[in-house]
Amino acid sequence: MTDGSGAEQDGSLIGREDELERLGVFLAGPPRHGGSLVLAGEPGIGKTALLTALTGRAEATGTPVLRATGVQYRTQVGYGALQQLLTSLPGIRSRAERMPALAGVLGSEPDAAPGHDVVTEAVVALMADSSREVPALLVLDDAQWLDRPSAVVLGQVARRLPGTGTGLVCTVRPGEQGFFDHSGLPLHELGPLGQAASDALLRRRFPALAPRVRRRLIAEAEGNPLALLELPAALTESQRTASRALPGRIPLTRRLQSTFGSRIEDLPPATRHLLLVAALEGSGNMLVVRRAVAGRCDLGHLAPAERTGLVRVDDATGRLAFRHSLVRSAVVELSTSDQRRNVHRALAEAWTEVPEQRARHLAQAAEEPDEQIAALLEEAADIGARRGDGPDAVSALVRAAELSPVPNAYARRLAKAAYVGANLTGDVRHVPRLLDEARRAGPDADSPAAAVAAAMYLLNSYGDIDTAHRLLSGAIALQPEPYDLTDATLSEAMSTLFMVCVHAGRPELWSDFDAALSKCTSVPDTLELLRATFADPARARPADWERLDCAIRALPGTPDPVRIVRIATAGAYADRLGAMEEPLRLTARGGLGGQNIFPAIQASFLWSSHAWFSGRWPELRQVAGQGLRWCEELDYPLRSWTGKFVLACVHAVCGDYAAAGALADQMDQWAGSRRGHAVGCYAAHARALIALSRGDFEGAHRQTARITPTGTFSPFAGHAVWAIMDQVEAAVRTGRRAQAAEHVRAAREAGLAAVSPRLAMVLLASAALASERDAEAVRGLDAALAVEGAEGWPFDHARVHLYLGERLRRAKAPARARTHLSAAAEALGRLGAHPWTERAQQELRACGTPVPRPGASALTPQQRETARLAATGLTNKQIAEKLGLSPRTVSTHLHQLFPKLGIASRAALRDALERLDHP
């Protein structure tokens, strides 16, 4: 259980380690010199929980604790708090009653009426006398509500405690008017919990919360522990598990209403009206607020709310901000439905020049179906969707459906809400419910939107590629010809059909797509680019790559995350992802707030693909890991395979074969029964890299042939472009040199050498590998290394160094061979590609260069001990405690020792240390 602010039964507090440490230091001080400390913070922030933890520690050490709590609306009771304090311990009370000044305060001498200064002197003397035996601790909670006589006395006592051996800790709420003067006393402002602590608190108290619900609650609570613990109580069980959507405004529990609404009820009516307008307006735009309240009140009525700290108007920007989002919620909850509708009507008038805002307020004010408002709101939802605001667009479409007077319009808008949710928020779990409601309302309404939503659901729940293809093809075929792709839902149906064909990788499905595309007018440029450059890159034309580059150059500043992701996808096989770094990063970060998760997942994996080729593998693990967590949270497996593929590649070349093989197994299992050739290609490529890293070239050849037969590029096998050098090396080293040469020739005929510097380097190196003549091979590998920008692809570049060194050694040129082999060993070691590093070092040894075994004498004693403890499973923090280091130092040691040991993860530490101890 908690006390309402995050405290657990064991006394621990989540996210308050620094504050507890400071209180512990303070508690150790009073036995020597005494003193005071003020904890300030907004309601529900955890001040009382910290006091509880402090008193628990004090009592555990035998320190007497005297407590008093201020109570709102009872500040008129004279000396009530001081009486509470002095009577909280029997021993103190008996001593106080023997002191004339305090006997009057306690009521044992009713006629005594000493002044405040006399009472102050008596309390200080009492504390000093008591602390000679055992130092005491005074604890005042909600000191802003102490009665006036007690507040005056205790304010003076707080300043007189140094030297008495007694400590005083009190809590106050900023902005509250009271009589306790804490100015000049040591002050610690208690801030909100951070994101990680908020998440940990919710996970501990409400483990069944769906991840997206937890994110929403964290955003609403803004780090307030009381809000984090109370807001889930206002939700139904189905809302907590995300089986039903959350309301647009999460209602406050009675406790939260009392905590955050108490000051609001005391405000003048005009001030409360102004606050309601500002709360429903939402952005703090005072110009709009002024228009909406014109004729009823003016902005001067905001002053009482400003004085109490409920709101603040920024002098620089002129925008209004509520002290906490729950104050805004309390303002809304304390209003009536009529008041809210009237304010929304006024705001709609204030936003006349902004149709999107006007539509949203009109929809909130509407009391019955209205097609005109529904149409305006649907337009607003389309704008939000293009901007990438998925949840907002979905809620707007659902409301537009509710306002639709005709059943077919209701059904169409619900279906559209389902597909927007699936495409932007990853909200596929709500798709069946929305589609069922749509079918019941309009059983005869044929909608491409419904087909898209149903297809997304099928693909992610069952992975049913063929049924999804039939649904989409059928829905498109029912539309009047020629197909008008200016219709957003029809365009989305074509784009989803494209994705289905990509995952299937089968020519017969692509023929249906191409037939439908030939009947379309105004085809979006993103769809044209995807079909030309991503579906089958080996058959793209130079003009296609030129159009892609034009689209990429125009991308900066684009607010549409779907467009960013589609153009990036079009450029993935052409090594264009590095040119889209900033848009992809922004899109990936968009998922952190739960707004644009589907594009964020795609952007994460696209960026991870670039990180794989550009050698940024630590970043790859982090970004791909986040994308995979989103996929898992949302039950969204379809897009997870790209992330698992790039992780499998890194695991494979770093020697973590078990992890790479497990990911490849998952891909094969999904792809097999569903005939998902693209995902099967991912698995085959990962297994090929495992085999190459192990020196199993026959196995590598079998796997690459699964992607496309060596010597040709099968139609719609786009992944073959990423596997060219792997396929050629496997063929050469298994005696299939002619097939290898044919594969290079096919790639050159496809024009791939001109597509990117990486592909130019890869094809030069692959042609050299396939050559039987050493001199020709050396010239080709030299040329590959000389390609401008080739070093930007460090793993492939290092492999070319390795191949050149190997060929030079066999050509009896050991000096030149050593240069290239050393460069390869250094670059591969820096990447953590242990098996490849070892291969380069073996070649160096064959050249007569002594090379120490990985890690043989490279680890310092502290690094070795860090490695030993990490291998046992301890965290960085636990290792730091054992070694007397900081967690950051431990992290640095591990970062430095991984390359020395030739490993890439903690999982490989145990075996690496075993090799050191028993070479």
Side-chain angles (χ1 to χ4, degrees):
M1 297 291 292
T2 76
D3 69 348
S5 299
E8 300 298 324
Q9 284 182 326
D10 62 2
S12 64
L13 278 171
I14 294 174
R16 295 301 187 198
E17 293 78 11
D18 291 345
E19 285 80 3
L20 288 170
E21 183 178 354
R22 175 164 184 171
L23 289 175
V25 172
F26 176 83
L27 189 61
R32 294 191 295 275
H33 44 73
S36 300
L37 177 64
V38 180
L39 296 176
E42 66 181 23
I45 203 67
K47 304 183 297 295
T48 301
L50 281 169
L51 285 189
T52 301
L54 175 67
T55 55
R57 288 187 182 186
E59 289 170 343
T61 61
T63 300
V65 179
L66 289 77
R67 280 171 276 204
T69 300
V71 181
Q72 195 175 17
Y73 307 125
R74 292 186 61 189
T75 57
Q76 72 279 7
V77 180
Y79 283 127
L82 189 56
Q83 291 173 8
Q84 186 184 2
L85 191 79
L86 296 177
T87 59
S88 58
L89 287 177
I92 296 293
R93 175 172 186 159
S94 61
R95 291 185 181 186
E97 288 177 335
R98 293 195 294 269
M99 302 176 71
L102 298 183
V105 169
L106 294 174
S108 55
E109 294 186 16
D111 295 333
H116 295 160
D117 291 342
V118 175
V119 175
T120 298
E121 291 291 343
V123 172
V124 172
L126 175 65
M127 292 298 99
D129 181 59
S130 299
S131 292
R132 291 191 188 97
E133 300 173 10
V134 181
L137 178 67
L138 309 182
V139 174
L140 307 176
D141 200 6
D142 284 328
Q144 75 280 350
W145 291 332
L146 296 177
D147 61 273
R148 183 168 189 162
S150 297
V152 172
V153 167
L154 291 171
Q156 294 175 351
V157 167
R159 291 163 174 77
R160 300 274 301 277
L161 287 180
T164 65
T166 300
L168 180 147
V169 179
C170 66
T171 67
V172 297
R173 291 186 182 185
E176 290 279 2
Q177 299 297 318
F179 303 111
F180 182 78
D181 180 14
H182 62 270
S183 60
L185 296 177
L187 177 72
H188 179 75
E189 292 192 22
L190 198 57
L193 294 180
Q195 182 92 6
S198 297
D199 186 76
L201 180 57
L202 279 179
R203 285 178 184 273
R204 184 177 297 186
R205 288 300 309 280
F206 302 97
L209 281 178
R212 71 173 63 192
V213 177
R214 192 165 58 247
R215 287 194 296 269
R216 169 79 182 277
L217 294 177
I218 289 171
E220 293 273 346
E222 294 184 6
N224 186 288
L226 178 63
L228 286 166
L229 297 176
E230 287 287 319
L231 285 174
L235 302 177
T236 65
E237 188 62 32
S238 59
Q239 287 171 336
R240 291 182 196 176
T241 57
S243 56
R244 291 194 72 85
L246 292 178
R249 175 174 52 84
I250 296 178
L252 301 186
T253 62
R254 185 171 298 175
R255 185 176 182 187
L256 286 176
Q257 272 199 33
S258 172
T259 299
F260 288 93
S262 57
R263 294 193 217 170
I264 298 167
E265 293 175 315
D266 295 332
L267 294 172
T271 304
R272 290 184 63 174
H273 178 71
L274 253 174
L275 291 181
L276 181 59
V277 173
L280 295 178
E281 189 280 326
S283 71
N285 188 324
M286 293 301 290
L287 179 61
V288 174
V289 172
R290 183 184 291 111
R291 290 176 188 165
V293 300
R296 176 161 179 175
C297 59
D298 58 52
L299 296 185
H301 289 99
L302 202 60
E306 289 187 274
R307 282 196 292 270
T308 56
L310 290 171
V311 295
R312 180 177 62 85
V313 177
D314 190 299
D315 292 334
T317 65
R319 288 194 171 271
L320 179 145
F322 284 85
R323 191 187 76 226
H324 193 282
S325 63
L326 295 183
V327 173
R328 176 190 287 111
S329 297
V331 167
V332 176
E333 295 229 351
L334 290 170
S335 65
T336 67
S337 59
D338 279 344
Q339 287 173 328
R340 292 193 290 273
R341 280 194 294 271
N342 287 334
V343 167
H344 279 300
R345 289 189 190 100
L347 286 167
E349 290 302 313
W351 278 113
T352 301
E353 73 282 8
V354 184
E356 182 184 0
Q357 292 287 357
R358 182 169 179 269
R360 293 175 189 280
H361 288 296
L362 285 174
Q364 292 300 315
E367 299 180 64
E368 58 186 23
D370 186 317
E371 176 57 31
Q372 185 177 3
I373 296 176
L376 289 172
L377 193 56
E378 184 175 2
E379 290 177 13
D382 290 341
I383 294 170
R386 287 194 296 272
R387 192 172 54 237
D389 192 347
D392 188 62
V394 170
S395 63
L397 284 166
V398 170
R399 179 61 177 152
E402 293 168 351
L403 292 172
S404 303
V406 179
N408 277 3
Y410 174 85
R412 181 182 61 78
R413 285 167 177 147
L414 274 188
K416 190 172 179 179
Y419 101 75
V420 169
N423 278 340
L424 275 180
T425 70
D427 205 356
V428 292
R429 284 174 293 194
H430 296 313
V431 165
R433 177 177 59 82
L434 290 171
L435 291 181
D436 283 344
E437 290 181 23
R439 275 191 290 270
R440 283 197 298 271
D444 300 325
D446 293 316
S447 168
V452 172
M456 295 297 287
Y457 178 72
L458 284 169
L459 289 167
N460 285 283
S461 55
Y462 305 107
D464 193 340
I465 289 174
D466 291 291
T467 302
H469 185 273
R470 283 195 299 273
L471 268 175
L472 290 163
S473 298
I476 293 167
L478 289 173
Q479 305 308 305
E481 296 183 16
Y483 305 143
D484 181 9
L485 293 196
T486 59
D487 178 341
T489 56
L490 186 56
S491 176
E492 199 58 48
M494 285 295 295
S495 296
T496 307
L497 182 60
F498 173 86
M499 181 186 68
V500 170
C501 292
V502 166
H503 279 80
R506 286 178 258 141
E508 65 271 19
L509 300 191
W510 276 111
S511 63
D512 289 347
F513 174 85
D514 287 337
L517 193 65
S518 69
K519 300 174 183 177
C520 293
T521 61
S522 304
V523 177
D525 64 330
T526 52
L527 189 57
E528 287 185 331
L529 286 170
L530 284 166
R531 176 60 183 88
T533 66
F534 186 76
D536 199 359
R539 289 161 183 82
R541 300 163 301 176
D544 297 325
W545 303 119
E546 290 173 11
R547 285 192 300 123
L548 173 64
D549 288 332
C550 287
I552 292 171
R553 286 194 293 271
L555 204 56
T558 299
D560 184 354
V562 174
R563 179 174 179 80
I564 290 168
V565 163
R566 286 178 179 170
I567 291 177
T569 302
Y573 289 135
D575 303 313
R576 299 301 201 271
L577 295 175
M580 291 175 271
E581 174 173 357
E582 190 57 28
L584 282 174
R585 284 185 184 279
L586 289 172
T587 304
R589 284 199 291 270
L592 295 175
Q595 294 297 303
N596 310 312
I597 289 200
F598 186 38
I601 289 171
Q602 295 172 287
S604 297
F605 296 152
L606 285 163
W607 183 248
S608 299
S609 298
H610 176 67
W612 155 240
F613 286 109
S614 60
R616 296 154 75 167
W617 296 349
E619 183 179 0
L620 181 158
R621 293 184 179 94
Q622 178 186 355
V623 176
Q626 177 61 72
L628 289 173
R629 284 191 293 274
W630 282 329
C631 288
E632 185 175 356
E633 288 174 3
L634 295 168
D635 295 330
Y636 213 75
L638 187 69
R639 290 293 181 178
S640 70
W641 305 121
T642 309
K644 290 180 178 180
F645 162 68
V646 291
L647 280 175
C649 290
V650 171
H651 287 317
V653 300
C654 289
D656 195 347
Y657 305 131
L663 290 170
D665 286 344
Q666 292 177 31
M667 291 184 266
D668 269 334
Q669 287 165 10
W670 188 90
S673 61
R674 297 167 177 86
R675 296 198 296 160
H677 181 66
V679 179
C681 287
Y682 289 162
H685 196 176
R687 294 190 194 282
L689 288 171
I690 293 172
L692 288 172
S693 300
R694 281 177 158 161
D696 175 11
F697 300 112
E698 188 61 43
H701 173 71
R702 285 197 306 273
Q703 294 299 331
T704 55
R706 287 177 55 193
I707 302 170
T708 186
T710 305
T712 187
F713 286 82
S714 298
F716 307 109
H719 196 87
V721 173
W722 275 355
I724 291 172
M725 193 155 67
D726 306 314
Q727 191 151 10
V728 167
E729 180 180 7
V732 168
R733 296 187 188 278
T734 56
R736 299 175 172 91
R737 197 176 293 274
Q739 289 184 32
E742 189 62 29
H743 202 68
V744 175
R745 185 161 44 254
R748 284 179 166 165
E749 288 175 356
L752 294 178
V755 169
S756 75
R758 188 189 72 83
L759 284 170
M761 173 183 67
V762 161
L763 286 176
L764 284 168
S766 297
L769 280 173
S771 175
E772 295 184 359
R773 296 187 291 274
D774 287 340
E776 182 180 319
V778 168
R779 283 195 302 274
L781 291 166
D782 270 329
L785 292 173
V787 169
E788 185 176 357
E791 62 278 358
W793 317 98
F795 182 59
D796 287 337
H797 195 251
R799 286 172 68 178
V800 177
H801 273 298
L802 174 59
Y803 301 149
L804 180 52
E806 289 173 339
R807 205 65 177 250
L808 287 167
R809 185 182 71 79
R810 286 165 178 74
K812 311 299 183 187
R816 281 194 67 197
R818 281 193 289 269
T819 299
H820 291 285
L821 292 171
S822 296
E826 181 183 353
L828 294 165
R830 195 163 51 244
L831 289 169
H834 168 60
W836 297 79
T837 307
E838 179 61 25
R839 181 167 149 187
Q841 290 175 340
Q842 286 176 353
E843 289 289 328
L844 277 169
R845 293 187 194 99
C847 284
T849 303
V851 179
R853 293 285 176 184
S857 59
L859 299 188
T860 67
Q862 197 170 79
Q863 286 176 337
R864 190 180 184 101
E865 185 61 15
T866 299
R868 185 186 67 78
L869 293 171
T872 66
L874 295 182
T875 65
N876 287 6
K877 186 176 181 180
Q878 292 168 327
I879 296 169
E881 290 171 353
K882 285 185 174 292
L883 299 182
L885 305 172
S886 72
R888 179 172 293 183
T889 300
V890 171
S891 177
T892 300
H893 282 331
L894 289 171
H895 179 74
Q896 292 171 343
L897 66 85
F898 279 6
K900 292 181 179 181
L901 293 176
I903 60 174
S905 68
R906 295 169 100 102
L909 271 172
R910 188 184 300 275
D911 290 342
L913 292 174
E914 181 70 20
R915 288 195 298 270
L916 282 187
D917 295 333
H918 305 287

